[in-house]
Amino acid sequence: METTVNRYGQQAMRHWQDTRPDQMRELADPEAFFTQMGEDLEQAIEDLAAKLAGDPPPQENYLPRVRRLTMARFEAEGQILRGMLLTSG
């Protein structure tokens, strides 16, 4: 099975390279580790974004919907990625 590290996994990998170089070197399979971490981060972001976006208001038009969903996604990314930085290093 081929693994691909998503952008969140890549961010985590760079963070570990900068803040946890010894632990980074100890990983038996860094690609698999950061692939899984990236998938976990992405799922957490999606879950939180859905919660933050909430239900659409009645008669919500396209642009307000895009704005609401985009802002929820940005906020979720910020919260989850800050949490990752605070729990590592």
Side-chain angles (χ1 to χ4, degrees), residues 1-49:
M1 178 179 96
E2 186 175 321
T3 57
T4 303
V5 181
N6 68 18
R7 69 185 185 124
Y8 301 116
Q10 291 171 358
Q11 286 179 287
M13 186 184 303
R14 284 190 301 271
H15 178 68
W16 274 49
Q17 288 169 338
D18 292 342
T19 63
R20 304 173 114 178
D22 293 338
Q23 288 173 301
M24 183 77 179
R25 284 189 290 275
E26 293 173 5
L27 294 175
D29 188 348
E31 186 172 355
F33 180 83
F34 288 106
T35 295
Q36 184 62 55
M37 182 182 283
E39 290 171 3
D40 293 346
L41 288 167
E42 184 169 24
Q43 186 62 56
I45 289 166
E46 288 176 14
D47 292 348
L48 183 56

